[in-house]
Amino acid sequence: MSIDSRQVAAGMLQAVPFARTLGIEFIDVAEDSEGLHAIVRLPDSGATHNHVGGPHAGAMFTLGETASGAVVLAGFGHLLDRAVPLAVRAEIAYKKLAMGPVRATARLGRPVAEVEAELAAGTRPEFPVLVEISTEGESARVTALLTVVWTLRPQ
């Protein structure tokens, strides 16, 4: 599968203006030995801080959901003429206090071919996207885990 990460980033920023509002940056969208992934970054900005000076929980959720959307677009963008990707539900666990910029790494929880086969069979597939949100630098640590369940709604 060939992925144009710049095209995915541009598509996300056009389709989801809120990602632009928060200043989310697209770092990488690619396939590696573990499968398809997307990495996005929320810069450190007072406009997105909470009461203790780190990124607001809502901004971190949005970062993670944006990363999940990027990996969905990368995996299923070629199906947009037949199906609309929609987030069905999400669950986040905040593990540690985050300070400074944070990154979200999203990975598809099911193989693309398996989801495509369900869609082709006439069902509305659901699939998880697993997201790890972490701080940056040498002392990087996981600050939140997010699972977003997506579906492809046939058009």
Side-chain angles (χ1 to χ4, degrees):
M1 170 183 298
S2 176
I3 300 166
D4 183 342
S5 62
R6 289 174 299 179
Q7 186 177 11
V8 171
M12 287 295 298
L13 291 172
Q14 179 182 8
V16 187
F18 192 49
R20 284 194 315 268
T21 299
L22 290 182
I24 291 175
E25 302 168 351
F26 290 79
I27 306 300
D28 188 37
V29 181
E31 191 165 16
D32 59 20
S33 62
E34 296 180 47
L36 196 56
H37 73 266
I39 302 171
V40 300
R41 179 178 186 269
L42 179 67
D44 188 23
S45 167
T48 59
H49 282 178
N50 59 19
H51 63 289
V52 294
H56 189 278
M60 288 178 58
F61 179 90
T62 301
L63 176 72
E65 197 273 344
T66 300
S68 77
V71 83
V72 168
L73 182 59
F76 303 105
H78 63 285
L79 300 174
L80 292 179
D81 61 331
R82 296 181 299 184
V84 177
L86 299 168
V88 176
R89 62 187 169 277
E91 182 175 346
I92 192 165
Y94 298 99
K95 301 291 190 180
K96 302 245 182 229
L97 178 63
M99 298 299 279
V102 287
R103 287 181 180 227
T105 302
R107 294 192 177 275
L108 286 177
R110 289 180 57 199
V112 170
E114 187 179 288
V115 174
E116 283 185 32
E118 285 183 25
L119 182 65
T123 63
R124 185 172 167 170
E126 288 191 0
F127 53 95
V129 176
L130 312 171
V131 184
E132 183 178 280
I133 301 173
S134 61
T135 56
E136 294 185 331
E138 290 181 23
S139 60
R141 59 190 178 138
V142 174
T143 59
L145 299 172
L146 172 66
T147 300
V148 183
V149 175
W150 287 81
T151 189
L152 296 176
R153 184 187 74 199
Q155 294 197 58

